[in-house]
Amino acid sequence: MELFIASIRLVVASILICVVGYATVIWGVGQVINPEAAAGSLITRPDGTVVGSRLIAQKFTQPKYFWPRPSAVDYNGAGAGGSNKSPTSTDLTDRAREIVAQYGATAENPLPPELAAASGGGLDPHISEEAALYQAPRIATARSLSQSQVETLVKDNAFAPGGFLTPGRLVNVLELNLALDQVGTAQ
Amino acid sequence: MFAYSILFVVFIVGGTALLSWPLGRYMKWAMDPDAPDVGAAGRFNVIFQAFGGSITRAQQDWQRYLIAMLIFNLMMFVVSFGIMALQQYLPLNPDGMGAAEGSLIFNTATSFTSNTNLQHYSGESTWSYMSQLGALMWLQFVSAATGIAALTALARGLAGKGMGNFFVDVQRASFLVLLPVALVVASAMVIGGMPMTFQGSAVATTLEGVQQTIARGPVAAFVAIKQLGTNGGGFFGPNSTHPFENPNFWTNAIELISIIIIPMACVWMFGRIIGRMRHATVVFGVMLALVLTRTAFAVYFETAPTQAFAQLPIEQTVGNLEGKELRFGTTSGPTWAVLTTSTSNGSVGAMHDSLNPLAGLMPMIGMWLNEDFGGVGVGMINMFLYILVGVFIAGMMVGRTPEYLGWRVEAREVKLALLALLTHGLFILGGTAIFAATPWGQDTLNNIGPHGFSEMLYEFSSASANNGSGFEGLGDNTVPWNVATGIVMLLARFIPIILPLAIVGSLMTKRRTAESAGTLGVEDGTFAGMLVATILVVGALTFFPAATLGPVAEHLIYMN
């Protein structure tokens, strides 16, 4: 019986310290150091409406925007997930075939691989610099910009995620599209 | 690419190995202070006795220690079950989560009590913040603390000291080991951009004018202890592939380090308590070699491109990207897959179901062996079982009395050790056989052919290894899966804690002999070789036929 009493005492103590105390401290750290990220890195317009989160991919289908990687959950920010298909699965082949047709990729101008492969959470906000440049001609046409204007924008927005530890550079699709809209309105 | 892969693995695994040394030293001080009644250790002891009551003052023998542990774990199960079952009536539920189904609550409570964190749900659509923090995150602390306490007791017994007191040890592990490290890591996560909010979902209007609901929550606190306690249960469904659960390259690196640092430090703590650091170094070396071997294979196999794209005009230069995030780099996925299964963590940084067939075999082997470095505390306990068997076989081979640290190892101890090791195979192979032969398993698969078999094999491996990762395509939120894996998780958690403590209890009744020149050494290369051989024969060969039916068959059929 005293084993049960001691256990209950420790249940209470550990919940108070490791849940209430710990979570409150970390919440406080977030409020002091990084309140914007602590709330989910949301991007808001001047009028206060939320456009999205810079960490969460959103769906783009219009030709004038850069398109993100495919999503097995259709960019559902409240129900993320991957395809969980084996890389040998014909389901992936069928999905990739549609995407290839969408981009009009050919053997001479092959599609960058991540544009055909869904991410683990279906919400990967990035594509590679190459995958963005690959889409530049379409966007330039849709927006009546020169291709070099779009390419410059891509290069200005590209970053190396792990510095010298990672090869290649990435762009954030939502931020890049916001920058694109800025250029559009400037003209 | 090759050079970047090596650089990444060395940076993560090598860096963590260095960090584990001071942490192991600290853990020895925290868990088993030389002078528990004076100085800072003494002041903490007063606090722990105040929390736990008078029962914390007495030494416990191995039976009492175990009973105390089981009763505390029973309370963990009951309290967490209650919180989850009542979540619709409790506060901290901004997104209005409703009642969860009974067998899912059972499965989740056993899963987090047993330090497994197998998840048959998606957190963002199932649990309130109250359930996530008050039930699940709490269990992530105290279940990990239970493992560290058990290892401490085992090591004390082997050192010829009393086992200690569970109620003191579990507090030391929670408050002195896990809490301070979690505070550091969670703060780093917040600085790295991870959400930590009690507000409900945000609703965005996208640039194309569509509504997007974005689930968020107190993620940073949860993720830190998820990784440090080899728990692995994600706040969101896709775990650490979700951008909120792993926003960038640097949080990813910290999470990878957090996965293995405490299991590594447990080996050093064990060595310090038994007073044999050379022995601990050899054991650490064996574990490290096994982990690095599997990492190398996984990274190599994952450089093969996505086979499904072979006939299409798609560039095939960077390996398989299905189920992976770009921001972590290409090496992170397979590296994470190996580390998270080596340690019984079970969080994922890439979707294991979408790994290339032989890359997906490496995490399975990690769970079958389950001792390098293994779960916090329990990994070293599993290794202790292999050491006993190895010492026994070596002794028989050369005709000497088998001894470990001066304790005579006899038939009784070896029987118990083998029993503990073989139940692992029984749960995995037996469970997979039953589900593969019936609609319980057949109707829940997401992939056909050998890969479907791999999904079931992986699920039982994960449950029995108390790992928690999955080939997540499996439709596992069904009553048969919830009940079967729930039972396996409980048995596979407590049998490999109860039997080793019984072994040490049995050893302690004998007279300890001084080691002499005639004793088989446990500090040299011969011992290391013997240990590796024992692990591969007992641990890996058991599963070879099953591996052939799943990943190996898939590789041979589909990969050209």
Side-chain angles (χ1 to χ4, degrees), chain B residues 98-182:
Chain B
E101 191 262 324
S103 77
L104 179 66
I105 301 176
F106 164 76
N107 186 277
T108 307
T110 55
S111 174
F112 282 73
T113 299
S114 63
N115 197 243
T116 310
N117 293 208
L118 197 69
Q119 295 172 291
H120 289 176
Y121 60 86
S122 280
E124 70 265 45
S125 56
T126 309
W127 302 125
S128 68
Y129 296 164
M130 174 63 94
S131 295
Q132 294 264 36
L133 297 186
L136 303 182
M137 190 181 78
W138 169 60
L139 289 179
Q140 291 183 331
F141 272 100
V142 286
S143 70
T146 299
I148 298 174
L151 175 65
T152 308
L154 181 106
R156 285 201 197 103
L158 286 174
K161 301 186 253 185
M163 285 244 167
N165 183 301
F166 174 78
F167 292 119
V168 175
D169 286 345
V170 77
Q171 292 186 76
R172 284 180 172 146
S174 300
F175 304 147
L176 298 185
V177 177
L178 296 168
L179 184 63
V181 189

Side-chain angles (χ1 to χ4, degrees), chain B residues 169-201:
Chain B
D169 286 345
V170 77
Q171 292 186 76
R172 284 180 172 146
S174 300
F175 304 147
L176 298 185
V177 177
L178 296 168
L179 184 63
V181 189
L183 282 167
V184 173
V185 172
S187 300
M189 291 298 155
V190 171
I191 294 166
M194 199 177 282
M196 183 68 203
T197 177
F198 290 96
Q199 300 174 65
S201 300

Side-chain angles (χ1 to χ4, degrees), chain B residues 55-74:
Chain B
I55 198 169
T56 55
R57 293 199 184 94
Q59 278 278 328
Q60 293 170 325
D61 58 20
W62 71 270
Q63 290 104 328
R64 284 175 201 281
Y65 197 96
L66 271 178
I67 292 168
M69 185 195 84
L70 290 174
I71 290 177
F72 182 66
N73 274 257
L74 176 69

Side-chain angles (χ1 to χ4, degrees), chain B residues 379-467:
Chain B
M380 187 58 225
I381 295 180
N382 280 339
M383 190 51 132
F384 163 73
L385 296 173
Y386 281 110
I387 292 172
L388 273 197
V389 174
V391 163
F392 188 77
I393 295 171
M396 293 291 122
M397 281 161 67
V398 297
R400 287 192 192 138
T401 312
E403 283 180 4
Y404 179 55
L405 308 175
W407 305 103
R408 277 179 64 179
V409 179
E410 292 171 300
R412 177 181 155 79
E413 289 84 31
V414 175
K415 277 184 199 159
L416 291 175
L418 277 174
L419 184 64
L421 292 174
L422 292 179
T423 49
H424 190 47
L426 178 72
F427 293 145
I428 295 172
L429 299 176
T432 308
I434 292 171
F435 275 65
T438 60
W440 289 351
Q442 291 163 4
D443 292 351
T444 57
L445 305 178
N446 183 45
N447 284 278
I448 52 167
H451 199 85
F453 178 79
S454 297
E455 287 182 337
M456 291 182 283
L457 178 65
Y458 197 106
E459 186 73 3
F460 273 107
S461 301
S462 178
S464 186
N466 288 157
N467 185 276

Side-chain angles (χ1 to χ4, degrees), chain A residues 2-15 17-31 33-34 37-42 45 49-53 55-63 65 67 69 75-93 95-97 100 105-114 116-128 130 134 161-168 170 174 177-178 181, chain B residues 1 4 7-8 11 48-55 60 67-68 71-72 74-76 79 83 122 124-125 133-134 137-138 141-142 167 170-171 174-175 179 182-183 186-187 190-199 201-208 212-217 220-222 224-225 237-238 241-244 247 249-250 306-309 312-315 317-318 320-329 351 353-357 446-447 451 455 471-473 554 558-559:
Chain A
E2 56 180 350
L3 291 172
F4 278 95
I5 293 168
S7 292
I8 291 168
R9 292 171 69 144
L10 292 192
V11 165
V12 174
S14 56
I15 287 181
I17 294 170
C18 294
V19 178
V20 180
Y22 167 69
T24 309
V25 168
I26 299 303
W27 179 82
V29 171
Q31 294 307 305
I33 293 180
N34 211 349
S41 303
L42 301 178
R45 291 188 192 277
T49 55
V50 179
V51 177
S53 163
L55 292 177
I56 303 290
Q58 55 180 243
K59 189 173 186 170
F60 285 101
T61 54
Q62 298 172 8
Y65 285 121
W67 297 340
R69 300 177 63 185
Y75 311 95
N76 182 353
S83 73
N84 289 308
K85 291 292 181 190
S86 163
T88 65
S89 162
T90 51
D91 294 349
L92 291 191
T93 313
R95 189 192 69 198
R97 194 171 285 126
V100 163
T106 57
E108 294 74 42
N109 188 23
L111 192 70
E114 77 268 25
S119 66
L123 300 173
D124 189 346
H126 301 116
I127 55 176
S128 67
E130 294 78 34
Y134 188 85
F164 68 95
L165 284 168
T166 44
L170 303 179
L174 176 57
N177 282 333
L178 283 165
D181 277 353
Chain B
M1 290 308 279
Y4 281 109
L7 190 64
F8 184 80
F11 171 70
F48 296 152
Q49 291 179 355
F51 285 160
S54 58
I55 198 169
Q60 293 170 325
I67 292 168
I71 290 177
F72 182 66
L74 176 69
M75 298 308 296
M76 284 158 53
V79 171
I83 292 174
S122 280
E124 70 265 45
S125 56
L133 297 186
M137 190 181 78
W138 169 60
F141 272 100
V142 286
F167 292 119
V170 77
Q171 292 186 76
S174 300
F175 304 147
L179 184 63
L183 282 167
S187 300
V190 171
I191 294 166
M194 199 177 282
M196 183 68 203
T197 177
F198 290 96
Q199 300 174 65
S201 300
V203 179
T205 307
T206 69
L207 282 184
E208 294 193 346
Q212 185 186 34
T213 305
I214 300 172
R216 47 186 178 167
F222 193 91
I225 187 61
T241 65
H242 193 295
F244 278 166
F249 182 87
W250 300 106
T306 318
Q307 184 66 28
F309 301 163
L312 298 169
I314 297 171
E315 270 181 54
T317 48
V318 293
N320 174 25
L321 287 177
E322 184 69 24
K324 290 193 190 61
E325 312 300 299
L326 296 181
R327 59 192 178 281
F328 310 151
M351 285 300 159
D353 215 346
S354 298
L355 292 173
N356 281 328
N446 183 45
N447 284 278
H451 199 85
E455 287 182 337
F471 272 17
E472 288 299 340
E554 189 188 5
Y558 296 105
M559 303 292 281

Side-chain angles (χ1 to χ4, degrees), chain A residues 121-159:
Chain A
L123 300 173
D124 189 346
H126 301 116
I127 55 176
S128 67
E129 189 179 13
E130 294 78 34
L133 293 175
Y134 188 85
Q135 304 184 36
R138 182 192 75 227
I139 289 153
T141 311
R143 289 182 179 257
S144 312
L145 296 170
S146 76
Q147 194 171 327
S148 68
Q149 267 179 302
V150 178
E151 287 176 354
T152 309
L153 197 66
V154 169
K155 285 174 182 155
D156 289 349
N157 274 275
F159 67 101

